[in-house]
Amino acid sequence: MTGFPILTLLLAVPLLAALGCLLAGAQTARRLALAATLIDFALGVVLWSRYDIGGAQWQFTENVALFAGFSYKLGIDGIALLLIMLSVFLMPICIGASWRSIDKRVGEYMAAFLLMETLMIGVFAAQDLFLFYIMFEAGLIPMYLIIGVWGGADRIYASYKFFLYTLLGSVLMLIAMMWMVNDAGTTDIPTLMAYDFPVGAQKWLWLAFFASFAVKMPMWPVHTWLPDAHVQAPTAGSVILAGVLLKMGGYGFIRFSLPMFPEASAQFAPLIFALSMIAVIATSLIALVQHDMKKLIAYSSVAHMAIVTIGLFAFNVQGLEGSMIVMLSHGLVSGALFLAVGVIYDRLHTREINRYGGLAISMPRYALFFMLFTMASVGLPGTSGFVGEVLALTGVYQVSSWVAAVCGMGVILGAAYMLYLYRRVVFGIQANPDAAAMTDLDLREWLMMVPLAGAVLWMGIYPESFLRPMRQDIAALDARLSRARPTGDATLTPGKPQSAVRAVTETGHEQPASAPMRAH
Amino acid sequence: MDPILFIVFLPLLAAMIAGLGNRALGSVAAKTVTTGALFIACALSWPIFLGFLGGHAEPHVVPVLQWVRSGALSFDWALRVDTLTAVMLVVVTSVSALVHLYSWGYMDEDPDQPRFFAYLSLFTFAMLMLVTADNLVQMFFGWEGVGLASYLLIGFWFRKPSASAAAIKAFVVNRVGDLGFMLGIFGTFLVFNTVSIPEILVRAPAMAGSTIHFLGMQWDTMTILCVLLFIGAMGKSAQLGLHTWLPDAMEGPTPVSALIHAATMVTAGVFMVCRLSPMFAASPTAMAFVTIVGACTLFFAATIGTTQWDIKRVIAYSTCSQLGYMFVAAGVGAPGAAMFHLFTHAFFKALLFLGAGSVIHAMHHEQDMRFYGGLRKQIPWTFWAMMAGTLAITGVGIVDVFGFAGFYSKDSILEAAYASASESGRFGFWMGIFAALLTSFYSWRLMFLTFYGKPRWAGSEHVQHAAHGDHHGADTHAHGHHDDGTAGYHPHESPLSMLVPLVLLSTGAVLAGFAFHHSFISGGPGEFWKGSVAFSEELIHHMHGVPWQVKWAPFAVMLTGFLTAWQFYIRKPETPAQVAAQLGGLYRFVYNKWYFDELYDRVFVRPAFWLGEKFWKLGDIGLIDRFGPNGAAWVVAQGSRGAQRFQSGYLYSYALVMLLGLTAAISWVMVH
C-alpha cells in the first residue's frame, strides 16, 4: 500500500524534536517536547480515525529495502494501533509530569524521552524482524539513562539490575531470530507469522523469545528489577515504564511466540500458568507489606501482568482480547497511579507511606482521582480494569478452572493492598504537619489527571471502541492457534450421572438438544 | 422515554452534581438536588409496581448501550423491568428517598454534607443497576458498585481509624464472595455460552443431571454453578462465615446503616437467588445448601443479638438473622415468601435503624444501651416509631385477622419451610422457630433498655459532655442535684425532617404485610410474579395445609420472648447479670460473637502479612536477587577489577553487545 507515510512521520517528529532539545535551553526544551508529543498524539488520532476496521490486516505499510533482505518496513494491525495510541497518549502527560520536577540537564532529559517515544512506536510498527530487534533493545537505552541520570539515590544498582536481566534475554532472542531467518528465508514479520516452523525447533525458539519477553513483562521470578527501577526512576520514567515498556513483553508474545510457535506455546502453557499463579499470589502478598508507595504499585504491576500472560495462553478469543485490554488498562491505571504518587512526592519528597495521612482533608480533588485509579486497579466494574480482567479470566477458565480460581484470588488481595494503601495515605488524621500543609492539585496536575480518568472510564463503560479495531486480528490469531488449542479441565459432561458416572466424554445421544458443549 | 431510565440515571446525575460540585456547590444545593432526584425516582417507581400489582403491566427490557463483545461472550447495558424488579424498585427508591430526607436532620452539623449525599445517591444508582440487570455481568456491576458506595459510606468519617478499618473489611470480605460470583459467571458462560439471565433460566432445567469438572473434581453442573453464585450472595448478604463485615459496618452514619446495611444492599444476595431461582431449582443440593446456610445464620446471628449492648449492633445482628430467614425461604423453593420478607423487612428494619438514629441523636451520640433508659416520655415520636418496628419484626398478629408486617412474611417463611418436607426445610423450620423466640427477646430487650425503666444516662461520657456544655453559663447550681440518673441532661425529640420518614416507615411496618400478602404469597402468585421467580404451586398448596400448631408456633415463641424480656429487664433487672454469670463460657462465646474475628485474624490476616514479608525478604531479596543479579555481579567482580567499574560502564557494554550482535546477525544473513 502506498500513500502518506504517517508511521514514518510518527517516528520522525519526536526524533527531530529530540535533536532540537539537545541544543535548546531548559524552558525551550520543555515546550518543544510538549509540542512534539502533542503533535504525535494528534497524528495518532488521525491514524486511528483513518484505520480501516475490517479492512486489510496490515495497514499504512511502508517498505524500503535496505540490504540483504533487511528492510525498513513498517505497518500496523489493530493490536499495534492500540499500543501506539497508548504510547502517544501517555507521552504528553509524561512531559507534563516532568515540567517542574526535572531541573537539571532538562534538554537531555527531554531528548531521552522523545527518543524513547520514537523507539516505542517503532517497536509496535516494525514489520521487519531486525528492525523490531533494534527498536526493542535500543528502546531501553533511554530508560537506563533516565533512571541512571535523573533517578533517586540508589539509581546505579537499579539500572544495573535492569540491564543484567535484559541482556540475558536479548542475546538469546537474537540467536533465535537468526535461526528463524535462516530457516524461513525472510525477515518479514507478517510472513513469519504464517510460517510453520518445525515442531521440534519451536520449543527452543519459544524458550529464547520467552527469556526476553518474560523479563520485559515481567514474570515471576525475573521481576525483581522492576520494583528497584520504579523506585529509583523519576515520576515520568515510572509512568512510561509501567505504561508502555512493560507492554512490549505482552506484545512480543502476541506478535511472535503465539502465532509463530503455536505448538510450543501450547506445550509451555502450563509453565506460563504456574509462573503466573505464583506471581499473582506472591507479589500481591508482597505488595501488602510494602512501606514505599512506588514499590507497592510496582509489585501490583507484576500481579496484573500475570493476568495478561494467563489470558494470552488461554488460546481463545476472550483470553486474548482480555489480555490486550488488561495491557491497555494497566498502562493507563498504573501510569496514573505513579503520577498520583509523583504529585505528592513533588510536595514532600518522600515515598514513605507513613509520612502521609489525612490527605482527604486538604486535597479532596486529589483524593477523588486517587480513589478512581485505585478502584480501576482493583478492577471495579465500570472501569477499564474490570473489562480486561473479566475477559482474561473468562478465557482462562475455559482452559483451567484452577488457574482462574487461583488468579481470581488476586481480586481479593488486590483490593486488600490497594485499599490499605489508600487508607494510610488519604484517610485518617493529619498526623504529619508538613503533609497536612500540602496543597491540592494545581491546573497542570489536573490537566494530566483528567484525560487519564476519562480514558479509564471510557474503556470501562464502552470498551467496544478498543475491542473493535483488534477484533479481526485476534480472530486471525485465534484461528492460527486453533490447531494447538489444549482441551480444558472444565469441560461439561452431559447426561444422567447415574447412568454414565464419568465415562461419557463424547457428545452422546443423552445430550440435551440445545446445549452447546464448549465456548470459544 | 421509558420512566425506568429516569429512575436509574437521575440518582447518578444527582450524585455527580453533588460530588463534583462538593464545597463549591454548598450543602443546601447538594442536598436539594440529590433528595429531589430520589423523590422523583420514587414517584416514578410506585406506578410501575402498582401496574404489576394490578396485573396490567408487562415485563420489558430497555436497552441502553452496548458493553462488551468478545467472541461468543457478549453483554450490554440494559434495564430489565418485571415484577421482581418492580418490587425492588419501590423498596430501593422509597427507603432511599426517606433516608435522604432523614439525613437533612441527622447530618445537619456535618461539614461534608455534599460528599455524603453524593455517596448516598451513587449507592442508589448502583443498587438500581443491580436490580434491573438483564445479564449476570451488569448484576455484578451493580454488586460491586454498591460495594464501593458501602465502602465509601462506612468510611465516611475517615478521620476515625475504626471507620477506615471497617470500610476496608467490608470491601475485602465482600470480595471473597465476589470471587465466588465471578467463578460462577465464568462457569455459567462455559456451560450456557451466554451470560444473559433470561436465556440461562430457560435452559437451566435441561442441564440437570450433567456434570462438570471444577478444581480437580467432578460436580453436578447446576450444583456447582449455583453454589459459586451463592457464595457471592453470602458475602453481600452477610451470611455465616462471610458476615464479619456487617457489624463493623455500623461505623458508618446511621442513615447509611438503615439504607445500605438493612433495607437494600444486604438484600442483594436474596434478590440474586430469587432472580436465578429457576437455576437453583435445577439443583436440589444447591437449594439445600442455601437453606442450611440461611438457617445457621439466622440462629447464630440471633444468639449474638441477645447479648450486645450497642443499639446499632443489636439491629445489625438482627438484620443478619432476618436475611437468614429470607435464604431459608429461597432455599425451600418459596422465593415469593423470601421476596415478601425482603419487602416488609426493608420497611421495618429501616424504621428501626432510623429510630435508633433518632435515639442516638437525642442521646448525643451515645450508642450503649446501658446508658439509656426511660426515654419513652422524652422522645415520644421516636418511641412510637420504634414500637411499630418492634411489633413488625417480632411478628405480632392474630392468624386470619390482622398482623404487623413481619407477621405475614416471617410466618409464611416458616410455613414454607415446614411444608417443603425436606430435611433441610425441617432444619430451617426449627432453627427459624427458635430464632423467632430470640428475635422477640432481643427486640423487646432493646425497647425496654432504651425506653423503659429509670434513666441511666449519667454513666455516659457523651451525655456528661453534653450536659456539662449545656450548663456552663446558665445555671451553676446544676451539679449534685441530679441523682435521678439524668445527669441534668434533657434529650430532645428529633427535627421534622427525621420524624416524617419515621412516620411514613411506621405506616409501612404496620400495613405492608396486611396490604400485600395476598399478592406476594397466598393469592395467585403466578399472576403477580409473572414467571419472574420460580415457585412451586404444590408448595403454596401445602403451605395452606400446615397444622394449626405450625401456624401458631411463631405466635407462641413471640409471646415467650416478650415475657422473658419483660422478666429480665423490667420486673427483675438483676436477672441478666445472674444468667450471664451462670452461663459463663457460653455467654462469653456468644458475647464475643463466636470469636469469628479472632479466628479470621489468626487464620487469614496475620498469615497474609507474614507470608508477604517472607516472600519479599526471603524470596525476592534472599533468593532471587542474591543468586540472580547480585550473584552475577559478584562473579563479574571476581573476574574484573570490581563491580563498580563494570557497573559504571554497563550502558556502553550493552549498546556494544547489541550492535555487535546485530552486525553479526546481518552479516550472517548476507553470507547465506
Side-chain angles (χ1 to χ4, degrees), chain A residues 256-280:
Chain A
F256 296 91
S257 304
L258 287 169
M260 296 183 192
F261 325 120
E263 280 83 7
S265 295
Q267 201 181 342
F268 285 112
L271 171 72
I272 295 275
F273 289 156
L275 295 181
S276 303
M277 288 194 285
I278 296 173
V280 168

Side-chain angles (χ1 to χ4, degrees), chain A residues 313-364:
Chain A
F313 286 83
F315 281 74
N316 53 42
V317 172
Q318 287 90 32
L320 292 166
E321 292 187 342
S323 293
M324 273 301 292
I325 297 286
V326 174
M327 283 204 273
L328 297 174
S329 161
H330 180 265
L332 298 171
V333 174
S334 70
L337 285 171
F338 280 118
L339 209 54
V341 171
V343 165
I344 52 179
Y345 181 82
D346 285 348
R347 287 162 174 64
L348 212 57
H349 298 285
T350 176
R351 298 178 309 269
E352 195 67 26
I353 294 171
N354 293 335
R355 292 276 288 107
Y356 295 92
L359 296 195
I361 298 165
S362 52
M363 304 177 73

Side-chain angles (χ1 to χ4, degrees), chain B residues 2 18-19 37 59 63 156 174 233 264-265 313 335 365 418 452 466 547 617 662:
Chain B
D2 201 287
F156 178 73
N174 264 292
T264 55
M265 183 186 83
R313 290 207 176 221
H365 299 289
Y418 185 85
Y452 289 83
K617 296 271 168 67
L662 202 67

Side-chain angles (χ1 to χ4, degrees), chain B residues 121-417:
Chain B
S121 293
L122 177 70
F123 165 78
T124 313
F125 160 72
M127 190 70 203
L128 291 169
M129 287 299 277
L130 195 165
V131 300
T132 54
D134 194 41
N135 62 63
L136 288 174
V137 185
Q138 188 183 323
M139 189 188 273
F140 191 71
F141 167 82
W143 199 263
E144 295 280 283
V146 294
L148 168 66
S150 164
Y151 162 80
L152 292 171
L153 282 164
I154 294 169
F156 178 73
W157 286 316
F158 58 80
R159 290 173 182 84
K160 274 166 71 183
S162 57
S164 300
I168 293 185
K169 188 173 176 184
F171 199 91
V172 174
V173 174
N174 264 292
R175 278 255 152 164
V176 176
D178 292 347
L179 176 58
F181 194 164
M182 284 177 85
L183 290 173
I185 294 176
F186 303 152
T188 306
F189 174 68
L190 181 81
V191 171
F192 295 99
N193 217 17
T194 177
V195 290
S196 155
I197 293 172
E199 284 182 42
I200 295 165
L201 298 187
V202 167
R203 279 156 44 190
M207 281 293 158
S210 66
T211 58
I212 193 167
H213 217 66
F214 179 73
L215 297 189
M217 279 183 280
Q218 199 76 12
W219 302 75
D220 178 76
T221 307
M222 293 317 292
T223 303
I224 189 66
L225 293 184
C226 290
V227 167
L228 284 172
L229 292 168
F230 179 65
I231 289 171
M234 285 173 68
K236 201 56 82 194
S237 294
Q239 294 299 287
L240 188 61
L242 295 179
H243 67 279
T244 52
W245 64 272
L246 183 59
D248 288 20
M250 298 300 122
E251 288 289 341
T254 307
V256 173
S257 313
L259 175 61
I260 300 186
H261 306 120
T264 55
M265 183 186 83
V266 290
T267 63
V270 180
F271 167 79
M272 181 232 256
V273 174
C274 291
R275 171 61 89 204
L276 303 177
S277 48
M279 220 174 146
F280 280 80
S283 166
T285 318
M287 294 282 271
F289 183 66
V290 172
T291 311
I292 290 166
V293 168
C296 292
T297 306
L298 67 85
F299 167 73
F300 133 90
T303 59
I304 298 176
T306 58
T307 58
Q308 300 300 304
W309 293 114
D310 184 316
I311 185 168
K312 285 182 73 182
R313 290 207 176 221
V314 173
I315 308 177
Y317 278 107
S318 158
T319 303
C320 198
S321 171
Q322 298 300 312
L323 292 165
Y325 278 101
M326 297 174 207
F327 279 116
V328 167
V332 298
M339 284 306 295
F340 189 40
H341 198 52
L342 188 161
F343 181 77
T344 61
H345 175 260
F347 292 105
F348 65 69
K349 191 51 67 67
L351 173 63
L352 285 170
F353 261 121
L354 293 185
S358 183
V359 173
I360 294 166
H361 191 256
M363 292 302 286
H364 215 266
H365 299 289
E366 179 55 70
Q367 296 188 191
D368 194 321
M369 295 191 296
R370 281 173 291 197
F371 304 126
Y372 289 172
L375 285 169
R376 185 172 70 235
K377 299 200 184 71
Q378 316 283 339
I379 44 174
W381 285 91
T382 306
F383 167 68
W384 283 109
M386 292 286 277
M387 182 57 87
T390 304
L391 292 171
I393 191 176
T394 54
V396 173
I398 308 290
V399 178
D400 295 334
V401 183
F402 176 80
F404 294 89
F407 168 76
Y408 294 96
S409 53
K410 193 196 287 179
D411 284 17
S412 64
I413 289 174
L414 292 171
E415 284 165 22

